[in-house]
Amino acid sequence: METGSPESTGTAGDELGAAEPGWRGLPPGLLRMRRLLLVVWLGLLTIGLGLLLGLLAGPAWAAFAALPLPLMAWGWVMLGRNWRSWRYAERADDLLISRGVLWREETIVPYGRMQLVEVTSGPVERHFGLASVQLHTAAAATDATIPGLDPAEAERLRDRLTELGEARSAGL
């Protein structure tokens, strides 16, 4: 089952009665943003370390500044794996969020237990056209976040979760 693609494998409405939920992956803009940040920060570290070693220890030692470059290649691959591991599904009574490569974590947030659903977007996320949805419940252990969504999808999800949460909590 491939995740992390912008296309949905099904809609929540089609999957309400099905055993397997309709999983949705995160958009590729999140992966591009994270990889760009990796290259920028490790690139600046490499340049700064090279200048520092070149000035203080001599030009021969400046070659050791290239040590972060293999870390950049490893981080590039790991960011791709992490991005593909994130997915979420809307079911009839709850929201599922699954993530993790080595340690898989699946969070189930019942709609009736949601107290607050908010959409946030920092300056870098806004530049890449992304937003995050954060879910707050009474139990801090079940708070959940879905990062890197398209702003329209984040707002749609916020509105839907708020509506379902209000409907489900009326009976509590």
Side-chain angles (χ1 to χ4, degrees):
M1 164 179 0
E2 180 67 23
T3 61
S5 62
E7 296 86 23
S8 170
T9 57
T11 61
D14 296 340
E15 302 290 335
L16 290 179
E20 182 69 22
W23 291 104
R24 291 178 180 229
L26 300 180
L30 178 66
L31 180 62
R32 282 192 299 273
M33 178 189 76
R34 288 181 174 174
R35 283 182 170 168
L36 179 66
L37 289 174
L38 173 77
V39 169
V40 167
W41 286 112
L42 286 180
L44 289 174
L45 176 68
T46 301
I47 292 168
L49 190 59
L51 289 173
L52 186 67
L53 286 174
L55 292 173
L56 297 178
W61 287 94
F64 284 104
L67 290 177
L69 295 180
L71 182 63
M72 188 182 304
W74 178 77
W76 188 275
V77 172
M78 290 297 108
L79 284 172
R81 291 184 65 194
N82 179 271
W83 172 75
R84 281 188 300 277
S85 76
W86 275 87
R87 57 192 185 156
Y88 67 98
E90 301 170 60
R91 296 195 307 183
D93 296 320
D94 49 31
L95 177 73
L96 300 176
I97 302 172
S98 178
R99 65 186 176 278
V101 178
L102 292 177
W103 287 273
R104 300 284 307 161
E105 183 176 330
E106 190 165 292
T107 304
I108 301 171
V109 184
Y111 296 134
R113 300 289 180 196
M114 289 183 202
Q115 293 183 333
L116 174 67
V117 181
E118 62 183 346
V119 175
T120 60
S121 184
V124 177
E125 286 178 310
R126 278 194 308 273
H127 177 75
F128 282 88
L130 301 172
S132 297
V133 174
Q134 178 140 16
L135 311 164
H136 298 281
T137 63
T142 57
D143 285 359
T145 301
I146 304 173
L149 296 173
D150 295 319
E153 170 64 9
E155 290 175 12
R156 183 205 64 82
L157 190 59
R158 178 198 59 206
D159 294 343
R160 175 165 164 70
L161 294 177
T162 302
E163 177 184 314
L164 289 169
E166 289 173 355
R168 299 296 194 289
S169 66
L172 294 178

